[in-house]
Amino acid sequence: MLTNSRTDVMYFTGRQVHIKRDDLLHADFSGNKARKFYHFLINDFPGVSHIVGSGSAQANSLYSLSVLAKIKGWKLDYYVSHIADYLKQQLSLSSGIRSNYSQAIKNGANVIEIDWSSNRYHACHHLDDAINVLKQDCLRKSNFQETLFIPEGGRCEYAKTGIYILGKEIVNWAISQGINKLSIFLPSGTGTTALYLQEYFVTQAQKTTLDIQVLTCSTVGGDSYLISQFNELSSNSQLHPQIISDGNKYHFGKLYLSLFQLWQQVLDSSGIEFDLLYDPIGLNVLKHAIESGELKDREILYIHQGGLLGNATMLPRYLRKQALTKNDSVKINR
Ligand SMILES: Cc1ncc(COP(=O)(O)O)c(C=O)c1O
């Protein structure tokens, strides 16, 4: 269960690119959530009855955590900075849109907006600060062992269990294909998946003669922010993946029409639907790397990290923006 995803091929920017189809691992835990939350799924947590998560109200991890909580019989409190009006409307209008937010609520998740005006959070600037306040409150209570705090986006040591399995699958696949020089590319948010993957190749897979490198790009806050995220998980820079860029600094969740068009072209030519938050940036950075000749003489493996449920909220926003920008309609066959 939740392992051994298949590998497909697509043609992109004149190159053959292998695609690790982690999006097909499981309907509810697709992509990197299947890898990051694997540890919680396969292990027992005696005494735990309650999990606390945090992040964006449209995050894939909200939905995956809600499924995890349901399977394990845990209560889920998920803290967010803010819930956008269009997400709230989707619920109240019963629009039928299956978004991460709407499906998580359906699974019983308690999605809680931090009340930033409350005294409790007066010294907090970020969601992480507010979660620390909640953690301290929880520690003061006698029942704190019942609660498991899961950091935003699954950015924690536990994620290693499943990501190392992904690394092993890639090594076995490369050997079976007779591939010696492999560049693995995946876009990063917290950087957890890319970092533990690189760590696996450096520390666990040295016995093979394969030349494997992990390349990634930032989609949140720029390259220096991504490096600081890597450092929080491991201060050993030898274990950090290589960050590549197309020269742009992107704002997470912002709509970039040219990137959307690239996403569409890939959908049309390969039939593979990628996520709309991370992959348009990832595909553009990969395109840039291919065009600049960086990946010459190496096979390329792109990891499809799932997240397609989130497309239900992103796609109407893109289509609206595109319609406002130019009047021609767009066909998406889904
Ligand atoms: C579809 C998709 N791609 C990429 C990422 C980024 O992963 P990470 O936070 O491990 O860098 C995420 C977030 O988990 C995701 O849902």
Side-chain angles (χ1 to χ4, degrees):
M1 181 205 182
L2 291 178
T3 53
N4 280 317
S5 57
R6 69 172 202 238
T7 304
D8 290 342
V9 166
M10 73 173 189
Y11 292 88
F12 179 66
T13 320
R15 284 288 302 268
Q16 171 182 275
V17 175
H18 304 276
I19 312 289
K20 179 76 171 156
R21 298 297 304 271
D22 269 12
D23 56 312
L24 303 177
L25 279 172
H26 190 279
D28 297 320
F29 292 102
S30 84
N32 68 13
K33 299 307 167 303
R35 305 296 186 176
K36 288 183 188 176
F37 295 153
Y38 188 72
H39 184 89
F40 298 107
L41 276 162
I42 60 156
N43 287 300
D44 284 332
F45 292 83
V48 168
S49 60
H50 178 195
I51 48 175
V52 176
S54 57
S56 147
Q58 16 167 339
N60 306 311
S61 53
L62 163 58
Y63 174 63
S64 299
L65 279 179
S66 75
V67 179
L68 175 71
K70 206 167 150 184
I71 292 173
K72 295 281 193 177
W74 294 333
K75 174 174 174 266
L76 167 64
D77 286 339
Y78 185 91
Y79 289 87
V80 299
S81 283
H82 171 70
I83 305 175
D85 287 343
Y86 71 88
L87 285 178
K88 289 182 184 163
Q89 276 159 16
Q90 279 174 9
L91 281 189
S92 59
L93 297 174
S94 324
S95 64
I97 292 184
R98 291 181 73 248
S99 63
N100 287 311
Y101 176 66
S102 68
Q103 295 309 105
I105 301 268
K106 213 167 151 193
N107 283 335
N110 241 335
V111 182
I112 305 161
E113 270 178 301
I114 295 280
D115 176 6
W116 294 107
S117 65
S118 148
N119 265 346
R120 198 179 185 195
Y121 303 116
H122 78 277
C124 299
H125 300 290
H126 301 290
L127 188 56
D128 276 353
D129 304 332
I131 297 299
N132 276 331
V133 169
L134 290 163
K135 233 186 230 171
Q136 295 312 316
D137 288 354
C138 181
L139 272 174
R140 277 192 286 273
K141 289 185 198 150
S142 55
N143 61 347
F144 75 94
Q145 289 100 334
E146 292 166 16
T147 307
L148 197 61
F149 280 80
I150 301 184
E152 182 169 357
R155 181 166 53 92
C156 55
E157 279 273 316
Y158 294 121
K160 223 185 244 194
T161 312
I163 296 170
Y164 273 25
I165 293 173
L166 168 63
K168 195 166 180 198
E169 285 172 30
I170 294 173
V171 168
N172 291 342
W173 166 81
I175 293 170
S176 76
Q177 299 291 307
I179 292 172
N180 289 317
K181 291 183 176 185
L182 181 65
S183 294
I184 300 170
F185 180 79
L186 67 166
S188 279
T190 64
T192 311
T193 315
L195 181 110
Y196 286 139
L197 205 50
Q198 174 72 359
E199 186 180 283
Y200 176 79
F201 295 125
V202 176
T203 62
Q204 311 289 315
Q206 327 88 316
K207 286 177 218 89
T208 71
T209 54
L210 300 179
D211 167 2
I212 301 186
Q213 58 171 194
V214 178
L215 306 173
T216 190
C217 66
S218 79
T219 58
V220 184
D223 294 357
S224 51
Y225 177 70
L226 182 55
I227 293 170
S228 70
Q229 298 275 88
F230 288 158
N231 280 325
E232 277 190 26
L233 291 171
S234 167
S235 55
N236 180 357
S237 61
Q238 306 284 339
L239 305 178
H240 293 184
Q242 186 184 331
I243 300 175
I244 59 173
S245 142
D246 60 5
N248 298 310
K249 181 172 173 180
Y250 294 103
H251 295 278
F252 190 65
K254 189 170 167 192
L255 307 180
Y256 297 94
L257 274 186
S258 61
L259 299 189
F260 177 52
Q261 278 151 7
L262 179 65
W263 175 92
Q264 263 181 298
Q265 279 165 22
V266 170
L267 174 65
D268 290 344
S269 61
S270 68
I272 301 176
E273 180 178 348
F274 286 89
D275 138 271
L276 273 166
L277 273 170
Y278 300 88
D279 288 321
I281 299 174
L283 290 166
N284 204 52
V285 172
L286 178 62
K287 180 169 179 266
H288 185 266
I290 291 173
E291 284 169 350
S292 66
E294 273 175 66
L295 304 174
K296 210 162 40 95
D297 307 327
R298 304 183 68 86
E299 291 291 325
I300 304 167
L301 178 72
Y302 188 101
I303 301 184
H304 192 321
Q305 300 179 83
L308 298 189
L309 194 53
N311 286 5
T313 14
M314 290 299 283
L315 199 50
R317 292 178 61 209
Y318 267 117
L319 294 177
R320 226 176 299 126
K321 174 157 178 162
Q322 180 151 281
L324 288 176
T325 314
K326 56 184 174 101
N327 259 342
D328 37 353
S329 63
V330 197
K331 274 191 270 135
I332 307 275
N333 300 317
R334 312 180 76 217

